[in-house]
Amino acid sequence: LEEALNILGAVCMKNVEYDSTHISGTVSLSQPGKMVLSVPYEHGWTVYVDGEEVETGLFGECLMTISLQAGDHEISMEYVPYGRNAGIILSVISLACFMGCCFKRKKRKA
């Protein structure tokens, strides 16, 4: 286990910046390989390497991986929860219905 951790930790992302929906940083590789991220594999993540969108893979049935060529790379990740747009639309419709009911109630009392 110690040997595996040393291999996995040999190269890591630097200059990491993050908030609730974004992660970015840089990585330098001397040879091509896969970078294993300690971010759970989940629909909604979009990953960019050097400004271009890339596909992610699955490691250990739970973590994301990115295939990288040798060299210096800028990694940027953006998360949009699955179903966010549908949730926003349903919330707006619900609010409109509620406002309509309140308006009708006020008209009846007047």
Side-chain angles (χ1 to χ4, degrees):
L1 180 62
E2 185 177 335
E3 184 179 337
L5 289 173
N6 288 335
I7 291 170
L8 288 173
V11 177
C12 58
M13 207 155 73
K14 300 192 182 336
N15 305 318
V16 178
E17 295 181 14
Y18 62 92
D19 60 30
S20 61
T21 59
H22 294 84
I23 301 173
S24 64
T26 58
V27 66
S28 293
L29 299 174
S30 58
Q31 59 189 20
K34 288 191 183 263
M35 184 168 88
V36 178
L37 302 166
S38 60
V39 175
Y41 184 89
E42 187 174 345
H43 293 290
W45 281 107
T46 305
V47 179
Y48 301 92
V49 175
D50 300 326
E52 294 189 29
E53 187 174 342
V54 296
E55 293 290 322
T56 59
L58 186 60
F59 177 80
E61 298 184 26
C62 63
L63 300 177
M64 282 195 296
T65 63
I66 304 170
S67 295
L68 296 170
Q69 297 299 317
D72 298 331
H73 301 285
E74 288 186 30
I75 311 292
S76 177
M77 301 170 58
E78 180 179 304
Y79 181 70
V80 176
Y82 180 74
R84 179 193 71 172
N85 293 340
I88 290 170
I89 290 168
L90 286 174
S91 295
V92 168
I93 290 170
S94 297
L95 183 60
C97 289
F98 175 73
M99 299 285 284
C101 289
C102 289
F103 184 70
K104 276 188 175 182
R105 182 176 270 176
K106 256 187 174 180
K107 262 187 151 178
R108 283 185 196 163
K109 287 183 178 181

